C-alpha cells in the first residue's frame, strides 16, 4: 500500500508583479486501498509567494510539480499525519471498532 496524491485544481492569480498566472493554491486528494478497504483525504493548501528565479509558467506545470509544491507547503509532519490517517481508515474498515444498524 502506498498513498497516491493527486491534484484536483489549481487556483492562480492572473498577474503578480512581472509574473503571469501565478499558482496560489493547490487542491489535492490523497488515497490508498487494500482490496475493498479504502482511505481518503482531501484538502487545499496555499503556496508561498512566487519567486521569479524558480517560477514555472502555468502552461508548463506538471501534476508532479503541483504535488511537490503542496507537500512542501503542508510540511513533512502534516504529510505524514495525512498518510497515517488514511492507513487508519483502512485498518478501521478491515477491523471495525464500532457498528451501526439494527440486529434484525
Amino acid at each position: 500500500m502506498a498513498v497516491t496524491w493527486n491534484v484536483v485544481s489549481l487556483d492562480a492569480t492572473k498577474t503578480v508583479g512581472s509574473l503571469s498566472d501565478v499558482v496560489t493554491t493547490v487542491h489535492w486528494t490523497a488515497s490508498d486501498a487494500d482490496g475493498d478497504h479504502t482511505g481518503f483525504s482531501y484538502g487545499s493548501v496555499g503556496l508561498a509567494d512566487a519567486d521569479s528565479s524558480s517560477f514555472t509558467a502555468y502552461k508548463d506545470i506538471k501534476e508532479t510539480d503541483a504535488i511537490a509544491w503542496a507537500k512542501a507547503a503542508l510540511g513533512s509532519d502534516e504529510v505524514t499525519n495525512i498518510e497515517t490517517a488514511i492507513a487508519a481508515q483502512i485498518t478501521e474498515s478491515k477491523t471495525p471498532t464500532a457498528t451501526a444498524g439494527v440486529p434484525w
Side-chain angles (χ1 to χ4, degrees):
M1 296 186 324
V3 174
T4 300
W5 290 76
N6 292 294
V7 174
V8 177
S9 181
L10 300 173
D11 294 344
T13 300
K14 287 294 181 186
T15 304
V16 176
S18 63
L19 304 174
S20 298
D21 295 323
V22 177
V23 175
T24 55
T25 305
V26 177
H27 300 270
W28 54 266
T29 64
S31 61
D32 197 2
D34 186 0
D36 292 336
H37 306 280
T38 61
F40 181 83
S41 187
Y42 170 86
S44 61
V45 64
L47 302 178
D49 292 339
D51 177 2
S52 60
S53 66
S54 62
F55 182 73
T56 303
Y58 190 83
K59 66 180 179 57
D60 296 328
I61 296 170
K62 295 175 180 46
E63 185 175 26
T64 54
D65 298 328
I67 290 168
W69 298 340
K71 286 182 170 183
L74 288 166
S76 62
D77 288 346
E78 184 60 18
V79 169
T80 298
N81 289 341
I82 291 165
E83 292 182 350
T84 299
I86 290 169
Q89 291 174 25
I90 293 169
T91 299
E92 177 66 21
S93 177
K94 288 178 174 181
T95 55
T97 57
T99 59
V102 294
W104 59 90

